[in-house]
Amino acid sequence: MRRWIWILIVVLSGATAVGLRSLGAADAQQPDVVPSADTVARGEYLVHAADCVSCHTAAGGQPFAGGREFDLGRMGKLYAPNITPDKGTGIGNWSDDDFRAAMQRGIAPGGVHLYPAFPYPSFTLLTDADVLAIKAYLFSLPPVHAVAPANAMRFPFNYRFLMTFWNLLFNSDKRFAPDPAQSPAWNRGKYLVEGLGHCSECHTPRNLLQARKGSEAYAGALAQGWYAFNISSDTQSGIGGWSDADLRAYLATGHAAAHGSASGPMAEVVEGSLAYLIPQDLDAMVAYLRTLKPIATPGEYTASSAAPVAAADLDYGASLYVGICANCHRSDGSGAQTPYQSLQGAAALHEAGAINLTQVVLHGSRLATSDGVVRMPGFAAAYNNDELAAVIEYAAHQLGHANVTLTAEEIAARR
């Protein structure tokens, strides 16, 4: 046992030394279409691209002051920390090396291992210059004295030292290296999608150790109680059938004709991140997304294999749809007042589990647009589980041509 302990110490010491050396390594030259002599201004753009505000802001709280809850199910709960420059409760005492270690290696001052709910396995691709520009912007913000609630991780996940072994397996700790065989736009798109935007953190399924499955990259996954859809280049279950214009519109505004509107976490990403990106960067993301390996969506999220919905249930759902939905969405789902009300082509209507459709019907939806905030109210309080199951089944059947079947018990669980 002593022999194995010493071997482990030697291995971990070597890994730590390599990690420390990488912090001082020269940045790889990655394509950049937003050069700026003003480090703080550059950092602000990068903070938007990384969507830092969404995770580090609690509902009704100060931006970047932390406190947002992340329910990880059987593993427990995490709360986003304060990343304002407050010296008592934020990151005001962090050095440049401290900040790079957290962003690229998942290690906070004092050797505290961060959990990969913070997407450092993606941020590890960021160049030192970009990481320090992000720090410069965050340090330019007014300090906010705010203490996040204590994490409530369950055994054995509450032992942070276990992350040492997880990082050895799943964090490359390597900066982005451009592919000389690809165009500057493609390389920029990869840097944005894989690194700053950390899109795979939500859109890629995870294994038993909560690491992303490389073999199913971007094939769609559950995240925060929502389904992050397949964004591989598969033409049936991914975005291979979308036009470049549709993809660009959806990224920039959260809506594309014949593809519906963003809701839930994706609406937050549009509002807090993608809406701020310059057209060249959006075009670069589209260029890279086009080349992702096509992967068919796993069976549980393709067209439903459930028995067809009974005609009586559809009739009941239709009567509810008229009273609940048709005033805004119309009977054919075309939308009565704004394109954002259109349901035509929305992926949520084709998903067999109706996970996102249920979330929206229960809790509503909100999306900030250039024309103001678009809202849909939730109906959890106004209708019982049987009624909501019926109207969701009807909407999926009538507008999405999917045989979605839900029980009142399933609606109750999703509440």
Side-chain angles (χ1 to χ4, degrees), residues 176-330:
F176 176 74
D179 184 346
Q182 297 287 350
S183 68
W186 183 93
N187 277 296
R188 176 65 177 176
K190 183 175 182 179
Y191 186 73
L192 289 163
V193 170
E194 302 281 358
L196 274 167
H198 56 278
C199 305
S200 68
E201 299 286 349
C202 287
H203 289 277
T204 297
R206 295 182 179 270
N207 61 26
L208 291 176
L209 295 177
Q210 294 304 299
R212 291 166 291 174
K213 294 181 180 179
S215 61
E216 298 178 31
Y218 299 100
L222 285 172
Q224 301 177 49
W226 293 73
Y227 183 60
F229 288 108
N230 185 330
I231 58 170
S232 77
S233 59
D234 186 79
T235 56
Q236 296 300 313
S237 51
I239 57 174
W242 292 42
S243 70
D244 286 357
D246 285 345
L247 274 174
R248 194 181 302 108
Y250 195 87
L251 293 174
T253 69
H255 176 81
H259 296 290
S261 301
S263 295
M266 189 61 200
E268 291 185 11
V269 172
V270 172
E271 181 177 338
S273 176
L274 297 173
Y276 289 87
L277 298 190
I278 61 175
Q280 296 97 311
D281 274 351
L282 292 173
D283 289 341
M285 292 180 71
V286 170
Y288 177 69
L289 289 170
R290 283 288 185 215
T291 65
L292 292 176
K293 175 185 174 182
I295 301 177
T297 303
E300 60 267 33
Y301 298 117
T302 55
S304 177
S305 58
V309 183
D313 291 337
L314 287 177
D315 289 342
Y316 180 43
S319 66
L320 290 166
Y321 183 93
V322 170
I324 300 173
C325 315
N327 188 51
C328 291
H329 298 294
R330 290 183 173 168

